[in-house]
Amino acid sequence: SQTIHQWPATLVQPVGSPLSLECTVEGTSNPNLYWYRQAAGRGLQLLFYSVGIGQISSEVPQNLSASRPQDRQFILSSKKLLLSDSGFYLCAWSVQAGSYEQYFGPGTRLTVT
Amino acid sequence: KNEVEQSPQNLTAQEGEFITINCSYSVGISALHWLQQHPGGGIVSLFMLSSGKKKHGRLIATINIQEKHSSLHITASHPRDSAVYICAVSTFRHSGAGSYQLTFGKGTKLSVIP
């Protein structure tokens, strides 16, 4: 069966510090991968998606970047965090080639102080 | 205007009540999803539907494609149903290699009181 992992579960970081959140998927190959952010009082917003190793599409201009160094690994990064980067970050995956369903990880709650 | 609108934003119900959460969307979709987000933040998928009606236990989801509207019903509500319920629609994006992507409503926070 497929599972998706995210870590850390919670993170408190000062403004200006770097960020690295990791997401890994087990039990499937060549998945589509997604990073979402849920800011306080707002709906989930797609940040990045990837259809393959090294292929990253960004949905909104921002202070964050994403990378996919391996087939089932998706990393969200920032060189210098802003207060506005606080939120709940969710990684998700879907099967390639026409699947509508996405499966979500447990999420990382990031607080920038 | 958001592409996906949910109502109500907040809902408080007594245990045992019948609950309805509504979702309207303004774009052509491939499918509509109902998700449940627990207080800790984890999200689980409840339903994915593109027509008609689906039922799972005390949960029922319906969709009217012509009216671009979906409802999530909970019968005999229970305090453990307290959560945020999120409507999301799948649309196909042609950018890059293309993929189905989700657009989310802001969620409905449900509190069921014993």
Side-chain angles (χ1 to χ4, degrees), chain B residues 8-114:
Chain B
Q9 289 186 347
N10 293 282
L11 182 57
T12 300
Q14 289 292 130
E15 183 173 357
E17 285 186 5
F18 181 83
I19 289 164
T20 296
I21 299 170
N22 295 299
C23 176
S24 296
Y25 54 93
S26 57
V27 296
I29 68 170
S30 304
L32 183 140
H33 307 253
W34 282 103
L35 310 168
Q36 183 190 52
Q37 185 171 28
H38 297 286
I43 290 180
V44 295
S45 179
L46 299 175
F47 295 102
M48 182 178 67
L49 63 165
S50 53
S51 65
K53 175 180 173 179
K54 287 190 176 181
K55 185 176 188 292
H56 181 69
R58 295 180 294 105
L59 301 177
I60 303 167
T62 63
I63 187 169
N64 185 317
I65 296 295
Q66 287 73 30
E67 295 185 2
K68 295 187 176 176
H69 181 269
S70 175
S71 293
L72 176 69
H73 305 286
I74 305 175
T75 61
S77 59
H78 190 276
R80 65 174 174 266
D81 297 326
S82 298
V84 175
Y85 292 84
I86 301 171
C87 173
V89 298
S90 289
T91 54
F92 187 76
R93 303 287 292 273
H94 293 275
S95 58
S99 69
Y100 288 98
Q101 296 184 13
L102 293 177
T103 303
F104 298 84
K106 292 186 178 180
T108 295
K109 185 176 181 180
L110 172 64
S111 301
V112 182
I113 301 170

Side-chain angles (χ1 to χ4, degrees), chain A residues 34-55:
Chain A
Y34 308 83
W35 276 112
Y36 294 95
R37 176 171 62 200
Q38 187 178 41
R42 302 184 65 181
L44 283 155
Q45 180 185 36
L46 178 64
L47 301 176
F48 301 96
Y49 73 92
S50 171
V51 299
I53 295 174
Q55 300 180 64

